[in-house]
Structures are given as structure tokens and as C-alpha cells.
Amino acid sequence: MRGTKRFRLARPIAAALGAVLLVGGLAACGNSDTGGDGGDDGKLVLGFSQVGAESGWRTANTTSVKEAAAAAGIELKFDDAQQKQENQIKAIRNFIQQKVDVIAFSPVVESGWDTVLKEARDADIPVILTDRAVDSADKTLYKTFLGSDFVKEGRLSGEWLIEDKKDATGDVNIVELQGTTGSAPANDRKKGFAEAIAADPKLKIVASQSGDFTRAGGKQVMEQFLKANPKIDVLFAHNDDMGLGALEAITAAGKVPGKDITIITIDAVRDGMQALADGKFNFIAECSPLLGPQLMDLAKKVHAGETVPPRIETEETTFTQEQAKEALPNRKY
Ligand code: GYE
């Protein structure tokens, strides 16, 4: 009898408890709907759409993002877009559907993002641009842009060249290996370099084409440049990888890189720095890929509703051959 009675009393309690748990569970889901606790275990969920794996820079950047997410206790949903904008748009739509707390992405090209960014805004999911910018006129479509000043990198490269060629007589013929067509670093590095070298009329860009930021692209386009242009004095490559690919083409054409052809690149990843220390490159403007820790910090802040600066610039330097020799042993990437 007693047992039965206890059982009878226990049932409503259990039912009530069940209801509380159910409501609690729904509330937890509800939080993530509105950008609340996100993951099942209460971790902030960050959807990150990476450009691809086109260069040493990109590999170092991916490692930095993954390591920083783990260190910050952030659940990272990582997507590799293989250098295709349509893949990035798909990934961002997936993140919206999954109701992640924050979306970060490195836009492969500058244009064409407004629609998907509006979708993220409508879903109340804050967006952070990392590494590359978009050209959207509506700046409320994203919270901040964390990355380098690419125009400055191009300008510093051009200024170094002016100094290096100040005693040269006659035309100095430059070939340019551009990054991915339509990308912020390709547009901006081209612009900064052109503006700087305009100060010296003997510096002339005789050919300029995209090598898509890859070694294979750099090699192939440099081969064409060498065939079409009997006199090439300078190569300006928008990243180390294209410069490294071009080295093969230059050597195969019987020329000595770093001597017959002055080579300027951007990034300063380990292989690039090695080529510079070895005398094959002549100058590198640094572009830091180690954006992970700052990105995680920003993700936490925007998730908490804090205001963040609309533009955060990475600190960078430049390297000559001598400086590369000194810096190489401590280079992290
Ligand atoms: O310079 C290049 C990479 O967006 C800054 O992308 C980045 C660039 C970097 O492929 O190596």
C-alpha cells in the first residue's frame, strides 16, 4: 500500500520534472536561435568559410584559426571553399541554417556578397570579415574587417624598387604576377605598387597577369612572360608562392633569379623567406597569416553584443635578404 501511494505521488512529480527539463531544453535551443549558447555543450559556435588551400600563407592561416579556436574554447565549423565564391556562399547559407553564433569568412573576391550578407543579418548572426575585404557599400552588413593593408604592401614593394633601381639607366621592365582576379589583395597590391612606381618614369610594367596565388600558376605565367618579353628586369609577384613557382621558369630559361631578374614578393612565409635568404628573391613585404587569436577574441565580443572597431589592421614589416637571414630561425610559419 505504502509503495503504491508513494508511486502515485511520485508520478506527478516526475511529470512536472519532465516538463521542466523539456522547457529547459527548448530554452537552450531557443538561445542558439537568437545567437545564445550555440553548441550542445554551451560553446560559442563559429562558422568559418576559408578561401582554400592555395598557398603557404593560406595553410598557416588555417592552422592559426583552428588552433586559436581550440585554445579559446570555441566550436569551429570549418569550410574550405576551394577558391570558389559559390562554395563560400553555400557554406555561409549552411551556417545560417545551422544557426551558428558568429560567421567569419575570408572572401575569395571582393564583389557579390550583399545578398548572402543580408541573409545573415536577417538571421541576427554577426559576420566578421577576416583577411580579405568585400566592396559592399552597406557597412552594416558586417561587424568588422580584420586583416592587412594590401595597398600598403604594394606601395612598400614599389618604394623599395625605386630605391634599388635609382642608378639604373634606361627602362626597367617589370612583369607582374597578380593574385586571384577580383580578390582584395590582388586589386590592392596592384594599386599600391603602381602608385609608388609612378614616381619614377623609367620603371615600366610590361606584362601583368594572374597566377591565382599558386606556385603552378606562377610558374606557368612566368614561362609565358619570358617567352613574350626578351628583356625582363624585375618580377613583382603578389605572393611568395607565385614567386617560388616563377623561380623554376626563370632558371629553366637560363637566367639567375635575384641577379638577372630582381624579385619582389609579398607574404614572408618560410619558403619565401628561405628564397630571400638564399639570394633568389630580393625583397618581401610581410603579410601576417596569424589572425586566429584576434579573430576568436572578436567573435566573443560581437557575440556578447560589444561594439568592436570596424577595421583592425595587422602589424607587418618588410624584409631584405640580410633581414631574412636574421629572421628565419625564429619564423613560425
Ligand atoms: O597573400 C596569398 C593568399 O589573402 C592575404 O591569399 C591573403 C593572400 C596571401 O593566397 O598568399
Side-chain angles (χ1 to χ4, degrees), residues 50-59 61 83 106-108 130-133 147-148 150 153 179-180 183-186 189 212-214 238-242 266-269 285-289 291 316:
Q50 179 61 291
V51 168
E54 75 283 3
S55 65
W57 190 101
R58 191 63 53 198
T59 311
N61 180 247
Q83 295 246 70
S106 228
V108 58
T130 170
D131 157 35
R132 296 185 184 178
S148 310
F150 301 133
E153 292 164 353
T180 302
S183 70
R189 287 169 182 168
D212 214 13
F213 278 133
T214 64
H238 287 188
N239 79 343
D240 290 341
D241 281 80
M242 290 190 295
I266 294 176
D267 275 356
V269 294
E286 185 187 39
C287 178
S288 174
L291 305 177
E316 276 139 9

Side-chain angles (χ1 to χ4, degrees), residues 232-249:
I232 296 175
D233 303 302
V234 178
L235 163 64
F236 171 48
H238 287 188
N239 79 343
D240 290 341
D241 281 80
M242 290 190 295
L244 291 164
L247 287 182
E248 294 178 42

Side-chain angles (χ1 to χ4, degrees), residues 28 49 55-56 104 108 114 142 177 180 201 240 261 273 298 307 311:
S49 165
S55 65
V108 58
D114 288 26
Y142 53 92
L177 281 169
T180 302
D240 290 341
I261 299 181
M273 290 288 273
L298 287 167
T307 319
R311 174 76 172 102

